Amino acid sequence: EAQVTQNPRYLITVTGKKLTVTCSQNMNHEYMSWYRQDPGLGLRQIYYSMNVEVTDKGDVPEGYKVSRKEKRNFPLILESPSPNQTSLYFCASSPPLGRDTNTDTQYFGPGTRLTVL
Amino acid sequence: AQKVTQAQTEISVVEKEDVTLDCVYETRDTTYYLFWYKQPPSGELVFLIRRNSFDEQNEISGRYSWNFQKSTSSFNFTITASQVVDSAVYFCALSDPPQTQMEYGNKLVFGAGTILRVKS
């Protein structure tokens, strides 16, 4: 089954304690990205990656890091989490636009609800 | 810059009523895609539809229909005969593919979402 998995699904942590949210896809997609969802703001892109070892900032990258050492994995790293990073996080992957013409072009993970105290 | 506006923060209807969720977008691109997603209380994002900028035909899928009008930059979503299971947050989104991202995937620009509450 084609899917994007994220772990953990729920996390409560304290300010300054480094954490990693993992993301993995089994569809051999080149493109992966991270979004955060906040009330009244919708989803906003944090970082994206076009392929292994190729990453770039999205709209709200401050306080986050990513890496793409393998095609299937795209972890999100919070080196020193702060309360304003409390949010719902989604990982997504997509094929090149030319391939999927009649379906969604983003495959979203189930979400990770993060609380930073 | 690309922008998506969902002016309705929250809508409440009674079951079996029809309801329309509005979406207005801004883009300078001539090629773009528009999407609707549903987020039920469980939190996952459920894809509903994708529409490209060259196809202005209205779409109907069961109780759902979409009206795409380039002249007014709108992509509205109508649920006919609403049901309690339709209660969710609905997001409209616009693909924002800078040249470098076009080949490999696409970034989505989301609206703020509309909370739909359907009461029995």
Side-chain angles (χ1 to χ4, degrees):
Chain A
E1 179 193 353
Q3 62 180 355
V4 177
T5 57
Q6 293 179 230
N7 282 293
R9 295 289 312 279
Y10 303 90
L11 179 60
I12 300 174
T13 188
V14 296
T15 299
K17 186 176 181 182
K18 180 179 178 180
L19 66 92
T20 299
V21 184
T22 64
C23 172
S24 184
Q25 51 98 358
N26 62 1
M27 296 163 280
N28 204 36
H29 289 163
E30 289 86 359
Y31 187 91
M32 297 184 73
S33 59
W34 277 100
Y35 293 83
R36 60 177 287 174
Q37 179 183 346
D38 301 292
L41 297 175
L43 282 78
R44 294 173 292 167
Q45 192 184 54
I46 302 170
Y47 266 95
Y48 67 92
S49 169
M50 290 196 285
N51 216 323
V52 174
E53 302 292 0
V54 182
T55 64
D56 207 348
K57 297 176 181 178
D59 295 322
V60 288
E62 293 77 21
Y64 304 95
K65 286 175 60 177
V66 293
S67 69
R68 188 91 181 272
K69 294 184 169 53
E70 304 165 284
K71 198 172 187 179
R72 63 184 292 123
N73 296 324
F74 190 44
L76 179 69
I77 303 157
L78 285 71
E79 294 269 1
S80 182
S82 62
N84 65 12
Q85 292 178 297
T86 293
S87 188
L88 178 58
Y89 291 86
F90 287 97
C91 180
S93 75
S94 66
L97 279 173
R99 288 189 200 163
D100 275 50
T101 56
N102 295 315
T103 61
D104 191 8
T105 55
Q106 292 275 355
Y107 293 78
F108 283 96
T112 294
R113 191 167 292 279
L114 172 65
T115 301
V116 183
L117 302 174
Chain B
Q2 283 74 6
K3 185 180 178 183
V4 175
T5 302
Q6 294 179 256
Q8 303 149 308
T9 304
E10 187 168 335
I11 302 174
S12 288
V13 298
V14 176
E15 215 171 11
K16 297 185 184 175
E17 282 185 20
D18 298 348
V19 57
T20 295
L21 309 182
D22 297 333
C23 173
V24 174
Y25 63 93
E26 297 174 27
T27 181
R28 293 179 186 171
D29 294 324
T30 55
T31 300
Y32 53 90
Y33 295 87
L34 294 161
F35 300 77
W36 276 95
Y37 287 89
K38 173 183 179 180
Q39 186 177 47
S42 51
E44 75 272 21
L45 289 165
V46 178
F47 167 75
L48 296 178
I49 190 171
R50 180 182 94 165
R51 173 68 67 204
N52 75 54
S53 53
F54 298 109
D55 183 1
E56 287 193 72
Q57 275 193 320
N58 289 335
E59 177 93 9
I60 298 175
S61 176
R63 298 184 296 108
Y64 295 169
S65 62
W66 291 269
N67 181 264
F68 176 31
Q69 292 196 343
K70 284 179 79 170
S71 60
T72 56
S73 296
S74 65
F75 187 43
N76 296 337
F77 173 33
T78 297
I79 302 175
T80 303
S82 60
Q83 300 176 0
V84 173
V85 293
D86 296 326
S87 297
V89 182
Y90 290 87
F91 291 101
C92 181
L94 167 71
S95 74
D96 176 20
Q99 198 61 41
T100 53
Q101 291 190 47
M102 174 69 87
E103 275 185 72
Y104 301 101
N106 61 304
K107 166 190 169 184
L108 295 181
V109 176
F110 284 82
T114 297
I115 300 170
L116 175 63
R117 302 189 197 279
V118 181
K119 301 174 186 175
S120 59

